Amino acid sequence: MRAKVKRIFYFCMFLNHNQLDMEKKERAGFSSKLGVILASAGSAVGLGNIWRFPYEAGNHGGAAFILVYLGCVLALGIPIMLAELVIGRRARANTGNAFQKLAPGTPWKWIGLAGVLTGILILSYYSVVAGWTLEYIGEAVTNSFAGKQAEDFIGSFNAFTTHSWRPVVWAVVFLLLTHFIIVRGVEKGIERSSKIMMPTLFLLMLLLAVCAVSLPGAGAGLTFLLKPDFSKVNSDVFLGAMGQAFFSLSVGMGVLITYGSYFKKETNLTKTAFSVGMIDTLVAILSGFIIFPAAFAVGVQPDSGSGLVFITLPNVFQQAFGDVPVLAYLFSVMFYLLLALAALTSTISLHEVATSYLHERYGLTRKRAAVWVTAVCVVLAAGCSMSLGVGRGYTIFGLTLFDLFDYVTAKVLLPVGGFFISLFVGWYLDKRVVRAELTNDGTLRLPVYRLIVFILKYLAPLGIACIFVNELGLL
Ligand code: TRP
């Protein structure tokens, strides 16, 4: 067990070995090719794939949403991810300063600053859900799922998330965990353990998908997942799918600008963006194959909202392995542990953006900078968490604070950020710079170069604008 905990610890740390370098005032990069992909994939893969994707897909009718989502990933998400990496590696600066460096004295700097703010807002409500995973690890470890039915899981989820202080405590614990890792910096040997963690999560999910699909009554879930009903496609579906694509890929606020600034000059940016996009999408689709068959099998509505995964999954463990309680126990403990870890690598990336900005811009020590970020997020996270329980009566535009943060960040701030990031690389940056970054100074052949520039110049900004205009009902 100790070895396991140690491994987990190292896994979480590997993202941050760059920070030690930063303390030494040099911006050395991730040490290996795999490190680069894993750090970026670690940021991308998280609650967005396993918690948010299924409930957004469920709210928007399933298969048709997923198709639109895939379109958004390919046409908007991956190209903008690439644009962020170009900005980051070129500027060798954090998100808040990168625009300042590449476009001194222009208003572009506001895009970077907006990114830092967006990161803080996301981190605040994200850590609430991340806190829920800690509660569920506790429940799994104490074997509290055993013998419960679907209704019991709904009841206990609602009781927990609306509790006055319990979820707040877990959110704070999660933020402190993130804080601790950000401040401590890193050790060696981390990449090796991350090579184990990510594939383990993936294999476990594959296994759960097989179990879920073979539950009696799962067929309706597969139909929901695979058979598009285009009559359900409206402007909300487009906005939701676009927001989900940005959110899930960690694109639109500059996480990948900050990470790109740590990349080596030999790293193939295009390949990295594509691999990360594929890994992220695969995990999201896989979680669809777990959640929907299982939800239909146990009679949980696919549009039951943000509790979907937390209500559905414990059922899968109970029903699929009911005859072998040891397996049910082991799998549930492992799953929530890995989910929490996936969330942790994402919160680290969010925290890193604000911390490195305060550190590099205002000369605070990393520790000080991190304390500020954590303190602000603790207050906001407590507000978000309580807005689901004791504060339910207080709404803004009809939304609780939690839902407001989710809506404003995923469906407004990230796409707007993505819009300007693609304009910046497509129009403002000198094309020689863009070409040099994408081809590593001409050493890589890049047949898709023109396509990428075309997307960043026209397709992505116009696509995002159309989806907004459409949502406002003007189209
Ligand atoms: N992409 C992560 C997830 O799917 C969440 C996340 C991390 C994120 N960093 C981000 C979302 C930056 C938007 C922007 O769970």
Side-chain angles (χ1 to χ4, degrees), residues 93-374:
N94 67 78
T95 311
N97 290 347
F99 290 93
Q100 189 88 307
K101 247 175 138 175
L102 295 180
T106 63
W108 286 108
K109 69 165 186 256
W110 294 107
I111 307 303
L113 295 179
V116 175
L117 182 76
T118 309
I120 288 183
L121 296 182
I122 296 178
L123 181 55
S124 300
Y125 88 92
Y126 195 91
S127 42
V128 173
V129 185
W132 298 351
T133 65
L134 297 182
E135 166 84 8
Y136 273 67
I137 294 178
E139 297 210 6
V141 168
T142 54
N143 205 16
S144 329
F145 298 139
K148 284 193 181 160
Q149 303 296 322
E151 313 80 65
D152 304 327
F153 291 122
I154 298 178
S156 57
F157 174 79
N158 289 336
F160 164 64
T161 50
T162 56
H163 193 275
S164 54
W165 54 264
R166 244 182 120 83
V168 178
V169 170
W170 282 128
V172 172
V173 169
F174 207 94
L175 278 168
L176 291 179
L177 223 55
T178 310
H179 177 89
F180 173 71
I181 293 167
I182 287 273
V183 169
R184 280 293 294 272
V186 189
E187 308 272 317
K188 288 263 167 200
I190 296 141
E191 287 174 15
R192 206 178 57 206
S193 41
S194 61
K195 279 181 209 161
I196 302 168
M197 279 296 168
M198 289 272 244
T200 313
L201 176 64
F202 193 74
L203 282 182
L204 190 66
M205 288 182 69
L206 213 57
L207 189 84
L208 288 175
V210 173
C211 294
V213 169
S214 52
L215 289 175
L222 284 177
T223 311
F224 184 78
L225 191 66
L226 298 173
K227 201 158 165 232
D229 175 358
F230 289 109
S231 67
K232 291 203 178 122
V233 176
N234 56 20
S235 61
D236 277 349
V237 168
F238 278 97
L239 187 68
M242 173 169 73
Q244 177 58 28
F246 279 93
F247 189 90
S248 187
L249 296 170
S250 300
V251 158
M253 56 145 285
V255 158
L256 292 157
I257 295 181
T258 300
Y259 275 20
S261 75
Y262 305 135
F263 279 19
K264 286 197 163 155
K265 67 178 195 316
E266 296 82 31
T267 307
N268 184 335
L269 298 186
T270 317
K271 263 198 182 150
T272 305
F274 201 73
S275 314
V276 171
M278 287 298 122
I279 293 173
D280 189 73
T281 306
L282 219 58
V283 175
I285 300 289
L286 197 53
S287 79
F289 272 96
I290 302 173
I291 304 301
F292 293 116
F296 279 86
V298 296
V300 171
Q301 291 301 320
D303 58 355
S304 43
S306 61
L308 186 64
V309 177
F310 291 92
I311 294 165
T312 314
L313 264 178
N315 278 299
V316 181
F317 301 122
Q318 293 315 306
Q319 300 220 355
F321 310 106
D323 307 333
V324 202
V326 173
L327 281 185
Y329 180 82
L330 279 180
F331 282 134
S332 45
V333 172
M334 256 171 79
F335 181 82
Y336 286 110
L337 208 60
L338 290 166
L339 184 59
L341 280 168
L344 193 57
T345 49
S346 299
T347 53
I348 289 169
S349 74
L350 289 160
H351 202 298
E352 173 67 16
V353 170
T355 302
S356 64
Y357 171 67
L358 292 181
H359 172 56
E360 293 181 3
R361 175 79 176 75
Y362 296 104
L364 300 181
T365 60
R366 264 193 79 82
K367 190 163 176 203
R368 276 247 148 145
V371 167
W372 275 107
V373 176
T374 305

